Amino acid sequence: EHQRKRLIFCRERLNWTVEDWKKIIWSDESPYLLYSQGNSKNDVIWAREKDEVEPIEKMKFSPKVMVWGAMTATCLSELHIVPQNTTINAVCYQENILEKNLLPMMDRRRAVGPIINRKCPEIKSEMTFMQDGATCHTAATTFQWLKDHEIKFWGKNECPPNSPDLNLIKNLWSILEEKMKSKKKQPQTIMEL
């Protein structure tokens, strides 16, 4: 079913131009783990006897920082760091993320400067906000909030589920994670992360 929905999504946009794609505001949340969990399928140790393998302490659940961001072809939103132990429900999403991050991003007017300060849409009314199918995103109150702020958006079934390859901001999250991993001194606390 997910593959079918992804195929429909792609076929509907088969003839889109680069200019069409530039009118999308891509958004998403992403977790960043304090301690890398690794991939147990890749963590293979060769030994003749089990006793030859030293035990490795592994935390079952790493502390993490959840962030939200948005991007277009020409600009980025501020990175919103979700406070620890916060559940992102529709009200939290509207008041703390969309109100404080999306609106300021869409209202910028500087044509030059760092990408984090540049204006995003040439014509705000032509832009379309993309968000995935998370409950806080698809809540009726969130859709109403977007309508009240005159922001066009993809509806509940517009973005296919489990389609990270169809959301361009996932590439940005990967770049951010690689930059974090390349630091000589890795974070040891949530605050450092």
Side-chain angles (χ1 to χ4, degrees), residues 91-113:
V91 173
C92 175
Y93 181 59
Q94 295 155 29
E95 292 178 358
N96 298 313
I97 295 177
L98 298 179
E99 186 80 33
K100 294 178 182 175
N101 296 281
L102 180 64
L103 288 183
M105 172 187 161
M106 293 184 78
D107 289 336
R108 290 188 208 136
R109 292 293 160 241
R110 293 180 61 188
V112 295

Side-chain angles (χ1 to χ4, degrees), residues 41-131:
K41 293 179 183 175
N42 295 337
D43 297 338
V44 177
I45 299 172
W46 295 93
R48 293 189 189 278
E49 301 291 328
K50 190 176 182 177
D51 296 343
E52 294 176 28
V53 180
E54 291 185 34
I56 298 173
E57 276 193 46
K58 190 172 179 183
M59 187 177 284
K60 188 169 184 174
F61 300 105
S62 172
K64 67 183 175 184
V65 172
M66 182 67 77
V67 299
W68 175 92
M71 64 176 270
T72 71
T74 59
C75 75
L76 296 172
S77 72
E78 290 286 332
L79 192 62
H80 177 82
I81 298 172
V82 179
Q84 291 294 307
N85 304 315
T86 299
T87 301
I88 304 176
N89 59 25
V91 173
C92 175
Y93 181 59
Q94 295 155 29
E95 292 178 358
N96 298 313
I97 295 177
L98 298 179
E99 186 80 33
K100 294 178 182 175
N101 296 281
L102 180 64
L103 288 183
M105 172 187 161
M106 293 184 78
D107 289 336
R108 290 188 208 136
R109 292 293 160 241
R110 293 180 61 188
V112 295
I115 196 167
I116 198 76
N117 296 329
R118 265 187 249 149
K119 67 179 176 178
C120 291
E122 290 297 323
I123 303 170
K124 183 177 174 180
S125 63
E126 290 184 4
M127 298 301 289
T128 301
F129 181 58
M130 174 273 158
Q131 52 188 354

Side-chain angles (χ1 to χ4, degrees), residues 20 28 52 70 82 130 137 143 147 152 174 185 187 190:
D20 292 325
D28 200 14
E52 294 176 28
V82 179
M130 174 273 158
H137 301 169
F143 287 168
K147 288 175 187 173
K152 286 194 318 187
S174 294
K185 185 179 182 304
I190 285 292

